[in-house]
Amino acid sequence: MEKIRAASAQLSPGWCPRTLRKGHNGPVRILLVEDDAAVAASSIDGLTALGHQTEHVMTGAAALEAATRFDAPDVILLDLGLPDMDGQEVCRRIRALCETPIIVVSARGDEADRVIALELGADDYLVKPFGMRELAARIRAVVRRSQAAPAPTSAGTVQEIGRLTIDRRTQRVHLDGAEVALTAKEFDVLAYLAEDPGAVRRRNEILEHVWEGHWYGATKTVDAHVAAIRKKLGDSAWIEAVRGVGFRLGAPE
Ligand code: CA
């Protein structure tokens, strides 16, 4: 992902800025990509009732145009079955250009489709038919995660996640004020997951980021480190395993 961000930063005319401002409390601006007029109409009604501003497009090409222009949306709801191109391709292309949260909304609900969408950079996945309350909750969650993401250069800053404190400068971790003794690699795994709490990091991403390609074992290396971190934090709920994808960090309920 870092490579994609670095590459897209050079595409200055086309790439869209991160659109969510810190402390953004106004209506969420939603881009709805849906070719079924009836589904779109009911979604727009529901989103409007929730106080969101919705722009509706019916093709992948229109979605790419709307997602990357100057006044880009805050959240993109993306149908996979589109008339001009596959939604997965739309997802991949948007993600190569900007970080706007994408929620895939699809009738295709099997695990393979969900995994592919997440691999392509989608932030969440909702299977049709869905209720407006569930959609509203998913939108709130991606907006919250997007706003909570720290600045990319966080060297020297102390990050707090619930009862957990991570200091990247001193490489020390505290839980309820007591230091947690992590190995260097365990710290790196935890710090990497903490860069975007709630976001799923794939095993391969973690391997590439923490071991920088200098690893010879299987992805089981990641699982072993995650297990060690969980044990030291005293609660496995800190790091959730997302079946078939990877791991995400979050404060236990
Ligand atoms: Ca469709």
Side-chain angles (χ1 to χ4, degrees):
M1 193 51 99
E2 291 303 319
K3 281 175 200 146
I4 292 171
R5 278 187 200 134
S8 60
Q10 292 162 13
L11 302 170
S12 42
W15 91 291
C16 61
R18 188 184 194 89
T19 52
L20 280 167
R21 285 81 62 195
K22 285 258 176 195
H24 169 57
N25 287 320
V28 178
R29 292 170 303 144
I30 293 169
L31 176 64
L32 174 65
V33 187
E34 172 62 69
D35 64 321
D36 183 318
V39 172
S42 68
S43 298
I44 292 167
D45 284 349
L47 293 166
T48 304
L50 291 166
H52 300 319
Q53 295 173 358
T54 308
E55 176 184 356
H56 175 217
V57 296
M58 301 180 90
T59 64
L64 287 168
E65 194 273 322
T68 53
R69 66 166 185 248
F70 176 69
D71 59 337
D74 295 324
V75 177
I76 298 168
L77 301 181
L78 178 63
D79 179 29
L80 289 186
L82 296 170
D84 59 334
M85 67 175 88
D86 191 273
Q88 290 176 348
E89 177 63 14
V90 177
C91 183
R92 191 188 65 76
R93 290 204 206 171
I94 292 174
R95 185 52 78 238
L97 293 169
C98 68
E99 297 177 21
T100 307
I102 300 170
I103 301 176
V104 166
V105 182
S106 176
R108 305 180 206 163
D110 58 39
E111 190 180 22
D113 282 313
R114 291 170 187 250
V115 170
I116 289 169
L118 293 170
E119 293 268 345
L120 291 172
D123 296 83
D124 206 344
Y125 197 107
L126 194 55
V127 179
K128 291 177 186 172
F130 56 86
M132 280 311 299
R133 285 172 66 181
E134 183 173 16
L135 177 59
R138 302 291 183 99
I139 290 170
R140 273 200 308 277
V142 295
V143 167
R144 193 171 58 233
R145 289 209 295 266
S146 182
Q147 290 176 337
T153 50
S154 47
T157 63
V158 177
Q159 183 183 3
E160 286 183 27
I161 303 169
R163 298 145 51 212
L164 193 65
T165 307
I166 299 170
D167 187 334
R168 286 180 171 75
R169 187 178 63 82
T170 61
Q171 299 226 328
R172 291 171 117 177
V173 172
H174 290 81
L175 182 66
D176 288 332
E179 184 166 2
V180 181
L182 298 179
T183 67
K185 284 286 183 247
E186 287 164 4
F187 178 87
D188 289 346
V189 171
L190 181 65
Y192 181 55
L193 292 173
E195 281 180 10
D196 194 357
V200 181
R201 299 289 201 193
R202 299 188 294 278
R203 285 179 174 80
N204 282 340
E205 279 182 318
I206 299 170
L207 276 171
E208 278 174 28
H209 186 90
V210 173
W211 280 267
E212 296 173 343
H214 306 297
W215 54 276
Y216 303 97
T219 51
K220 276 187 288 188
T221 307
V222 175
D223 294 64
H225 281 74
V226 166
I229 297 165
R230 283 172 169 163
K231 195 172 173 190
K232 290 177 180 180
L233 295 179
D235 187 344
S236 62
W238 277 103
I239 302 177
E240 180 193 352
V242 180
R243 193 179 154 83
V245 184
F247 297 99
R248 68 170 142 223
L249 178 70
E253 295 291 312

